[in-house]
Structure formats: C-alpha cells, structure tokens
Amino acid sequence: MRLLIAEDSAVLRASLSQAMREAGYALDAVGDGRQALIHAQTTAYDAMILDIGLPEIDGLDVLRKMRDRKIATPVLLLTARDAVDDRVLGLRTGADDYLVKPFALAELLARVQGLIRRSAGRASPIIRVGPLTINTGAKSVAVDGGRAIDLAPREYSLLEYLGHRAGRPVSRHELEEHLYDDRSQVMSNAVDAAVCAVRAKLEAAGCPPLIRTRRKVGYVLSDQGEARGGCA
Amino acid sequence: MSIRTHLTRLLLLTIVPLVLLIGAGLFAYVRTSLVARFDDGLLARARALSGMVKLESGAIEFDFAGEAMPQYERVGSDECFQLWTLDDDDAPDRMVERSGSLGESDIEPRVPRTRTKVWDAPMPGGQRGRYAALRFAPQPEAEGEPPEPEAAGRQPGVSPAEMLIVAGQSRRELDRTLSLLAAALAGAGAVLVGGVLLAVRVALEKGLSPLGELAAQVEAVRPEALSVRIAGERTPDELAPIVRHANGMLDRLAAAFEREKRLAASAAHELRTPIAEMRAVTELALSRERSADEYRAALEAALAAAKRMGAAADAVLRLARVQSGRERLAMEAVDVREVLIPAWERWIAPLSARGVRVAIDVPRGVFAQADRAMLGVVFENLCANAAEHTPAGEEVSAACFSSDRAGVVVRISNAARHVDGGPTTAEAPTARVDGDEAVHAGLGLVIARSMIAACGGTLEAEAHGGRFIVSIHLGRPAAPPR
C-alpha cells in the first residue's frame, strides 16, 4: 500500500514516515500543501495523511481541490484543533477520518488500515481466499489449520493488495505504483520477483496456488480457475 | 427600599397632609363665615328688638308685637330675648321684658364692654344656643325730644341711660350645617386621598416599567450569552445613557472574552504540535529494538520539541502574568535592529536553500520603548511565520522606519500564494487562501498582538496583492540609552 504524508513539522513528518515504512507501507512525504496537491494528482495513493496547518496551501484547501477533481483517495486529517466545529468542517470538506494531535502512533496506524479497508469495500479486516486468511489488522497471513506464513513486509503488502482486490486482475504497473515509493529503487522485475517469493512461501505452507497470472493483464488472487504462471 | 416604595411614601407624605391642611382650612373658613352670618342675624334681631324700646313720659315702653314674632311667644322655641336696664356700674339692674319662649328660665346676661357681645350658652330647652347682647340707649317716643335724666332720676321705671337686650337662638341648624360641611369635606378628602393613592400607584407602575424592563434585560445577560444586548428603542431619555454605556461595556466584555478564547485555543494548538512530535518520536523509538544512534536521535528530537513547547508555554504564561498585572514589563529604549536581526538569522540559510529572497531594511539607531524580551518573542514568531509560509522562489522582507508622525514601524511581509484581498486582523491570524481561512498556527499573531499591546503598541495584519503584511507600531521613537 502506498501512502502520502503531508505534514509541515519535519520531526513529525520523519517519525510518521518511519513508522509507516516499518509497518510495510510505501510512502511519499511532503511538507507543504502545494507539493501535497501535486502528488495527490499524479499518484494513486491508497490513503493520505494530511495535516491541516500546511504552508502555501492549507490542508483543507488541498482536500477541497482533490475532491473537486474527483480524486477519491481516502484522507485522514491531522490537526491540533479539537473543537467540534473544526472536526465537522474537516469531515464535511471530504475527509474520511480525523485525528487530533498529539496521537498514538498505533491509533494512526489502525485508522489508516481502516481507511484502506473501507475504500476496498471491506467491512472486516479478515480477507479469505480459499484456505488462505489474511488478517489486515494484525498484518498476518495463515492457511487453514492455523499455520502462519512468515512474509517479509513487502511480500505481505503485495498479498494484502491482491487480497483487497481478490478475483480482479491487478497490473504489474499498479502493483509497482502501490508497493514502492520514490525512495525505492525498483528493478524492472521487482514485482515479478515478489510474486514468486510469495507463491513459494504459500506453497511451502501447503497452500494451493492462489496467485494466478493473467497474460498481458497482471496478477489475480483467486481460488477459482486453473493456476497459471510460475517463477523463474 | 425600592424606588416604588420610596416614591409612594414621598408622594403620600406630601399629598395627604396637604389635603388635610386644605380641608381643615376650608372648614375653618366656612365655619367662621357661617357663624359670623349667624351672629349678624342674631345681632340684627337684637337691634330690631332694641328699636321697639321707647321712652314715653320718662317711662320705658316696649312696643313688642308678639303676634308678628310668634317664635318669641312659643315656649321651647329656638329664639328668645330678655331686656334689662343697666345701672351706673353697667350691670343689669332691672329686668324689663322677657320673651314667652323662655318659659320659667332666664337668660344669663353678659354685658358687653363695647356695644355688642356674642356667646354660646344653653337654650332654655337645653339645646346648644347662641346669644347676642346689645347695649343701647332707649329713644324717646317723639324724635328729637331729649331724655330728662335729671327729672327722671335712676329709679325703677324711670328712664335709664342704657339698656341691655339679649337675643338668643338655638344653634341646632347652624351646628347641623357645620356637621354636614365637615362630613362633606372629610368624605371629599378621603376620596381625594384614595384617588391620589390610586393615581400614584398607576403612575409609578407605568413610570417605573422601563426600569423593570431594563432590569429584566440586564438579568438575561449571562457569561454564556454575551451576545445579548439591551434594546434601547423604547428607553426613556433618562435611562438612555445607562443603556448605551451598558451595551458598550458588554461589547468590550464580549470582545475580551473572544480574544481570551482565541488566545487559549491558539496556545493549545501551538502546544499540541511539539507534544505530538515528542510522542511520535518516543513511540517510534520504543516500538522495536533500535540502535543506540536511533535512540539518541529520538531523544534529541524529543528534547528539541520539549524546548519549543517550553518556549511557547513561557510566552503564553508571561503574557498571562503581564495581562493580569502580576508581572511588570521591563520597558526600555530598545534598538529594533538588535532584536530583529537575530530573529531573522536562523531563517536565512533555510530560506536561501529554498530560493526565497530575503530583503532586510532595518537601519541602526532606531529605538523604541518596549520590553526587550517580549519584543524578541514577537519578532521570532513573526519571522518564523513569514519564513515558513513563503513559497519557494518568492520574497520575504523585514523593514523598519521611524518618523515623528508615524512613530517606529516594523513591517514584516511575505508572499502568500492564493492570498485573497482585504485586510485581516490579528484575531484571525491567518492568510486567506482562495477566500477560506488557512489555519496556520495562530499563536504567532495572536500572542504577538497581545504582547505588542502590553508594550503600548499595536499590531495589524493585512493580506492583499499576493502578500501577507504584518505592521507593528511601537509608538514614538525613544531616545537611545546613555
């Protein structure tokens, strides 16, 4: 999953960025509203953490412009103002959630996960595809019988992204865009390598092949149909 | 005591005695007149009776026609008379004639020293009466015939020098008239007093109703409803100044409460950011095992945030102490350049890195009366705001000028993208963006304005033409310290 963090406090921006990366997110971080709007318009983020008090263009205005341009990225507003009127204004402007500073990192992480889950149309943090269970809340993967599968953060992100879109093909480009950020030096076959790694681990855990390759389309996580594709 | 009670008592204590006094005076006047007329009538009858006494051949003749005056004949009637001669000592000598109405009783004569005398005494029947005595000299039968005192001498039946006639009349009618008059006056007085009481009550009720309405409106003003104002459309002229001043005071109170609320909100907002930073770095550091360098970096970041929070808290607390009078400012002649340049210096490098042009025009030798520390906090806040909000490639400037007319003015301005037209105030300390207020930390301008005001100056913020301009007026130039 790829996030955009817009926060003018350098300390807070750095802390949030590190926390999100350690949680497995790819992300971009900016310090003013103008950059935030540019990034939001040019990249399809899975969620956005937007501080209201941004220089150049404030967060509410960034949000307003995004919604005017039909950019539906889920947005969590960060602010130091806790008055009801301010919260109502933020939500009415188009925010999906609101968090008052100071906040617990764990709460921020949970709220971001909730935003991503709801944007994918899921009410539950549990994704089941065949015998595979992906717990997006705990960020864990298990196969029927309770066998946990140990995945690297990027591998988990890949599986979670496919899981949110289970049954639908996802292009390689889309996976690149949502799993890697500007800091990552993405090799041309990085996505393919990650898919192979995940497939191997699922197979090792006794899980039937669920990640299917659709030629010239992309990958799909499904327990229907015949598995195709392999890893070099 | 209420105004109503006080006025009621005052009016009653004034009007009631007046009514009583007038009533009593009127009664006394009318009674005197009536009695005088009664006495006149009585004396006229005595004169008439005295005219009936003649001297004939030295003897007293009383030519009284009882048939013509039957009231004197009937026993127990309301009128009577009696006639005496007077001796040399002016005392009644011999009773010459008496009216039949006296019955067995006699009138107790009183001889007037002058010609007449009137007095009250019981009538023969016991009722209250009034008597009039008249001294007179009997006239001879023929006109012009002189009396013969030497030939007659002073003998009973012989012509006396003077005689005394006393006529009496019952006071019954007089007294009844007087009683009726008294009753009428008392009744009228009571009605008048009652009417006055009612009129006073109604007049006070109507007259004081504006006060009651005013009191009700004032009672409606509460700390949580300071927007309420006293309606002055129907206020009497006497209360208009009170309404005007009360509303003015409420305006000032509401503005002060609003400023306090904004300052508190801005202070809380500004303090939350460093707290959020501290929390984030420490939670992140503690979320997993870290290297020593990472822990150190987290602690340093937390310390820096704590320092910023401390500085913000200090500024707010100091301002609160100054405003409450618990701390006095250290006012002195401050070289503006010496305070402003250090506030800018920490921003020059970061601004240059972003391609922001910095224009500083602050001459030496411009002194203003201010608290040095407080002025420093203000400049640091304003410079930080200007630096943080200036877009890359634009310009931020600080200038100071001084004149006897304008005083010392410091102007800090920065380019602000999408700045709307029109002035803004330090109470809404934000740059307008596309017509909506940005919510940049307002502590800078809010607290800056309060601090400058504490130093006796003013701070104005204006946004137009793509720039955000803060102007600080520090009053007349101060003489440099020796």
Side-chain angles (χ1 to χ4, degrees):
Chain A
M1 303 297 175
R2 190 168 181 178
L3 304 179
L4 174 64
I5 296 176
E7 167 61 58
D8 64 331
S9 163
V11 171
L12 206 49
R13 187 169 65 245
S15 298
L16 294 182
S17 300
Q18 186 174 348
M20 289 301 170
R21 284 205 173 91
E22 289 179 2
Y25 291 98
L27 65 93
D28 300 308
V30 297
D32 63 73
R34 190 167 62 89
Q35 288 296 320
L37 190 57
I38 291 172
H39 276 69
Q41 290 175 134
T42 56
T43 304
Y45 292 99
D46 295 288
M48 187 172 173
I49 299 171
L50 182 61
D51 183 31
I52 288 183
L54 290 174
E56 300 209 25
I57 307 177
D58 74 85
L60 282 180
D61 214 38
V62 169
L63 179 60
R64 197 173 291 115
K65 290 179 191 304
M66 283 172 56
R67 298 303 186 230
D68 288 345
R69 292 163 196 181
K70 306 288 187 283
I71 299 171
T73 305
V75 172
L76 182 145
L77 282 177
L78 288 181
T79 184
R81 295 191 177 202
D82 66 344
V84 172
D85 290 346
D86 295 313
R87 294 204 296 270
V88 168
L89 176 61
L91 293 169
R92 281 184 175 162
T93 305
D96 299 275
D97 205 349
Y98 196 103
L99 199 54
V100 178
K101 297 176 185 176
F103 49 83
L105 281 178
E107 183 177 359
L108 178 65
L109 279 165
R111 286 180 182 268
V112 168
Q113 285 168 2
L115 280 184
I116 294 171
R117 184 181 70 245
R118 285 193 296 274
S119 74
R122 293 190 175 274
S124 165
I126 307 296
I127 303 172
R128 287 186 206 284
V129 181
L132 185 70
T133 299
I134 305 171
N135 187 331
T136 61
K139 292 203 178 296
S140 63
V141 179
V143 180
D144 278 354
R147 284 165 292 163
I149 301 175
D150 186 23
L151 297 176
R154 187 89 61 190
E155 292 167 354
Y156 171 82
S157 294
L158 169 69
L159 195 58
E160 182 184 348
Y161 194 87
L162 290 176
H164 278 305
R165 292 152 187 80
R168 288 179 281 141
V170 179
S171 71
R172 188 176 289 106
H173 172 73
E174 185 179 340
L175 285 171
E176 267 181 24
E177 201 172 55
H178 285 267
L179 299 182
Y180 301 91
D181 53 39
D182 294 342
R183 282 181 15 159
S184 309
Q185 294 177 349
V186 185
M187 305 288 284
S188 59
N189 64 339
V191 171
D192 296 329
V195 169
C196 276
V198 172
R199 277 173 171 161
K201 289 186 179 179
L202 290 181
E203 187 180 349
C207 179
L210 297 175
I211 301 178
R212 304 168 192 281
T213 304
R214 297 275 175 88
R215 288 192 64 175
K216 295 188 181 176
V217 178
Y219 299 99
V220 59
L221 182 67
S222 170
D223 61 346
Q224 305 293 323
E226 190 180 328
R228 268 212 220 155
C231 299
Chain B
M1 186 192 296
S2 69
I3 295 178
R4 186 174 281 111
T5 305
H6 181 72
L7 284 176
T8 303
R9 283 192 191 177
L10 194 63
L11 286 168
L12 288 179
L13 286 175
T14 307
I15 293 173
V16 169
L18 199 61
V19 167
L20 291 176
L21 198 64
I22 293 173
L26 191 63
F27 177 75
Y29 174 76
V30 173
R31 183 183 63 180
T32 302
S33 297
L34 287 176
V35 170
R37 286 178 64 179
F38 185 88
D39 291 349
D40 288 345
L42 203 53
L43 282 169
R45 280 193 285 279
R47 282 193 196 92
L49 287 168
S50 71
M52 296 175 189
V53 177
K54 297 284 187 248
L55 280 177
E56 191 175 320
S57 303
I60 299 169
E61 287 290 329
F62 185 52
D63 189 13
F64 174 70
E67 305 80 30
M69 298 182 185
Q71 65 271 25
Y72 290 115
E73 294 299 305
R74 193 171 62 252
V75 177
S77 78
D78 288 342
E79 295 186 54
C80 60
F81 73 85
Q82 203 160 354
L83 179 66
W84 293 268
T85 59
L86 293 174
D87 60 19
D88 292 337
D89 294 327
D90 286 339
D93 185 16
R94 179 170 62 89
M95 199 275 291
V96 175
E97 190 61 56
R98 60 198 301 278
S99 64
S101 59
L102 283 170
E104 298 296 323
S105 305
D106 282 317
I107 296 173
E108 189 69 32
R110 296 184 192 181
V111 179
R113 287 186 188 171
T114 55
R115 203 169 141 73
T116 62
K117 186 181 177 70
V118 184
W119 70 96
D120 290 324
M123 295 293 286
Q127 69 271 35
R128 287 188 68 197
R130 193 162 176 84
Y131 295 90
L134 175 69
R135 291 170 69 143
F136 68 97
Q139 295 298 316
E141 178 67 31
E143 284 192 14
E145 185 180 326
E148 297 174 351
E150 294 82 11
R154 294 274 179 201
Q155 298 178 14
V158 178
S159 61
E162 280 192 312
M163 294 187 76
L164 178 71
I165 180 83
V166 178
Q169 186 177 354
S170 168
R171 286 181 59 112
R172 185 171 50 239
E173 288 301 317
L174 176 63
D175 288 345
R176 184 161 64 191
T177 302
L178 289 175
S179 296
L180 279 173
L181 177 65
L185 284 175
V191 169
L192 186 60
V193 169
V196 164
L197 271 172
L198 187 63
V200 163
R201 188 184 175 84
V202 171
L204 284 177
E205 199 67 41
K206 286 194 177 305
L208 294 179
S209 66
L211 274 179
E213 289 172 7
L214 181 61
Q217 288 192 68
V218 170
E219 279 180 354
V221 176
R222 296 183 187 286
E224 58 273 13
L226 283 178
S227 60
V228 173
R229 292 293 175 269
I230 301 169
E233 297 86 27
R234 295 185 307 162
T235 307
D237 294 343
E238 291 82 359
L239 297 179
I242 296 176
V243 170
R244 198 166 47 247
H245 285 287
N247 282 337
M249 197 168 64
L250 286 171
D251 287 338
R252 290 191 293 277
L253 202 59
F257 268 84
E258 190 57 34
R259 277 199 301 273
E260 290 295 324
K261 199 167 74 170
R262 273 199 289 267
L263 186 61
S266 294
H269 171 270
E270 188 67 6
L271 291 173
R272 282 175 194 264
T273 299
I275 292 173
E277 292 172 355
M278 287 171 61
R279 184 167 186 173
V281 297
T282 50
E283 281 190 1
L284 185 63
L286 293 172
S287 64
R288 59 175 66 177
E289 285 296 319
R290 308 277 177 187
S291 67
D293 286 344
E294 285 176 316
Y295 284 131
R296 186 178 185 78
L299 287 172
E300 286 173 350
L303 179 60
K307 285 181 178 177
R308 281 201 305 281
M309 189 168 64
D314 285 343
V316 172
L317 284 171
R318 178 144 198 252
L319 182 62
R321 283 197 298 270
V322 168
Q323 287 181 332
S324 68
R326 283 177 292 157
E327 181 175 324
R328 296 173 69 88
L329 294 175
M331 298 294 285
E332 58 176 313
V334 177
D335 187 333
V336 175
R337 184 181 170 86
E338 283 183 4
V339 182
L340 186 54
I341 294 301
W344 265 120
E345 280 178 342
R346 62 184 284 254
W347 293 103
I348 292 177
L351 287 171
S352 297
R354 287 202 292 128
V356 175
R357 298 185 302 281
V358 179
I360 298 179
D361 179 16
V362 183
R364 296 180 192 280
V366 177
F367 288 83
Q369 201 70 14
D371 181 287
R372 180 184 296 271
M374 200 163 273
L375 195 61
V377 170
V378 169
F379 286 156
E380 282 170 13
N381 264 297
L382 296 178
C383 292
N385 279 351
E388 289 172 4
H389 285 77
T390 304
E394 300 284 354
E395 181 183 275
V396 63
S397 67
C400 174
F401 56 90
S402 166
S403 70
D404 287 336
R405 188 164 158 266
V408 176
V409 180
V410 176
R411 194 157 284 153
I412 299 172
S413 77
N414 59 279
R417 208 175 289 268
H418 307 296
V419 170
D420 191 19
T424 183
T425 67
E427 276 78 19
T430 61
R432 289 190 170 274
V433 176
D434 285 356
D436 293 320
E437 286 186 321
V439 290
H440 172 67
L443 183 63
L445 280 176
V446 172
I447 199 168
R449 184 174 188 274
S450 298
M451 285 183 162
I452 293 297
C455 292
T458 60
L459 185 150
E460 295 159 4
E462 195 176 22
H464 67 82
R467 295 195 71 79
F468 189 72
I469 303 163
V470 177
S471 300
I472 301 170
H473 297 257
L474 291 171
R476 297 174 61 180
R482 292 174 188 174

